[in-house]
Amino acid sequence: MNDVILKEKLISEGATLVGFCDLGFSPIENQPELRYAVSIVVKLSDSVLKTIVDRPSISYFQYYRTVNYRLDQLCLTCVRYLEDKGFNAFPIAASQSIPTNKYSGIFQHKTVARLSGLGYIGKNALFITKEYGSKVRLATVLTDMPLSREGELILEDCGDCKICQNACPIGAIYGENFEPLNPNKDLLDREKCSQNMKRYQDVGRGAVCGLCIKACPKNKLK
Ligand code: SF4
Ligand code: SF4
């Protein structure tokens, strides 16, 4: 059962895309009922992305944080809606990390978005939507309200492209395709990527880079 009203509500409050899926398991310990997921996508501004040239910009950093805040607010809207209907709901923050893994959170948003049929995972390890390429940010709500994907999965479509690999200033991207049957395969060196971001203390307090997002031709920057 997919929820048209929930989708319309999230889009009216600022979501760009909304998808649903059945994960088949719950990522939350001792709450096996939370196997269904809502994927919430917000598109990034073309004009702000254009301010990234050979390093992140202060405009990108500030905007990135604002979009994350909006995504977290959308998660609260979603949780409230699901709880009002008598279901359980668990938000996963847009930007997250946990003490046991500084590069990941409770569960990957891009996995939920992919299983919801909203796009695929690119060689840059980012989520690529067919409408907006990698110029998106994501958040997730887990629930026990039965949900399922609308439409088919979108297959990986990077082909022979190496643009993001060449755009990375420290060679962190391996240039390999995501493998659905081996979803935990590393597509980039996260430690190297993190170290590179730390160079940009003046603009992003070491938290953003954006060069591989900006470079992806799937973005179709206006
Ligand atoms: S965010 Fe920057 S450092 Fe990290 S993989 Fe992309 S281009 Fe390389
Ligand atoms: S830049 Fe090319 S290889 Fe990298 S994610 Fe985009 S399409 Fe895929």
Side-chain angles (χ1 to χ4, degrees):
M1 178 181 80
N2 286 337
D3 201 302
V4 176
I5 297 171
L6 173 59
K7 189 181 224 178
E8 285 175 355
K9 189 173 180 56
L10 292 172
I11 287 178
S12 74
E13 292 191 19
T16 311
L17 300 170
V18 176
F20 306 113
C21 70
D22 177 0
L23 294 172
F25 69 97
S26 169
I28 307 302
E29 199 176 353
N30 299 325
Q31 298 191 61
E33 67 278 13
L34 298 176
R35 59 178 278 179
Y36 305 100
V38 182
S39 178
I40 306 171
V41 178
V42 169
K43 173 193 164 296
L44 298 173
S45 152
D46 289 27
S47 299
V48 173
L49 281 181
K50 284 179 187 169
T51 65
I52 301 171
V53 182
D54 52 3
R55 68 202 307 273
S57 66
I58 189 70
S59 303
Y60 176 62
F61 172 58
Q62 289 169 342
Y63 180 68
Y64 179 95
R65 291 204 304 181
T66 304
V67 170
N68 284 344
Y69 178 73
R70 169 59 66 91
L71 279 161
D72 290 342
Q73 296 299 312
L74 288 165
C75 281
L76 296 188
T77 297
C78 186
V79 167
R80 174 78 191 270
Y81 176 88
L82 291 165
E83 289 187 344
D84 283 352
K85 292 192 97 180
F87 295 98
N88 291 298
F90 186 109
I92 302 180
S95 191
Q96 40 155 344
S97 60
I98 52 177
T100 50
N101 186 344
K102 60 182 174 175
Y103 303 125
S104 291
I106 295 170
F107 197 65
Q108 287 193 329
H109 301 300
K110 61 188 173 189
T111 300
V112 175
R114 179 180 165 274
L115 293 175
S116 299
L118 297 178
Y120 62 95
I121 295 172
K123 289 181 186 174
N124 54 9
L126 296 170
F127 189 65
I128 316 276
T129 60
K130 65 176 185 290
E131 294 90 346
Y132 309 109
S134 60
K135 58 183 179 187
V136 292
R137 298 260 332 135
L138 311 169
T140 302
V141 174
L142 303 171
T143 181
D144 54 356
M145 183 171 90
L147 294 167
S148 58
R149 182 177 65 247
E150 303 166 306
E152 298 298 312
L153 284 177
I154 296 179
L155 299 178
E156 286 59 48
D157 191 28
C158 285
D160 295 330
C161 179
K162 301 261 182 199
I163 291 175
C164 56
Q165 187 182 18
N166 294 333
C168 178
I170 39 87
I173 297 171
Y174 301 143
E176 295 177 14
N177 279 307
F178 173 78
E179 294 175 13
L181 295 179
N182 184 16
N184 296 325
K185 172 180 150 182
D186 280 334
L187 300 178
L188 60 82
D189 185 329
R190 293 176 191 281
E191 178 65 29
K192 260 189 172 181
C193 173
S194 172
Q195 288 305 319
N196 184 57
M197 289 186 193
K198 289 192 172 61
R199 291 197 297 142
Y200 309 125
Q201 295 293 332
D202 54 333
V203 292
R205 295 178 201 161
V208 294
C209 169
L211 291 174
C212 55
I213 295 180
K214 163 82 181 298
C216 180
K218 304 284 185 192
N219 292 346
K220 303 176 193 122
L221 285 184
K222 293 193 198 102

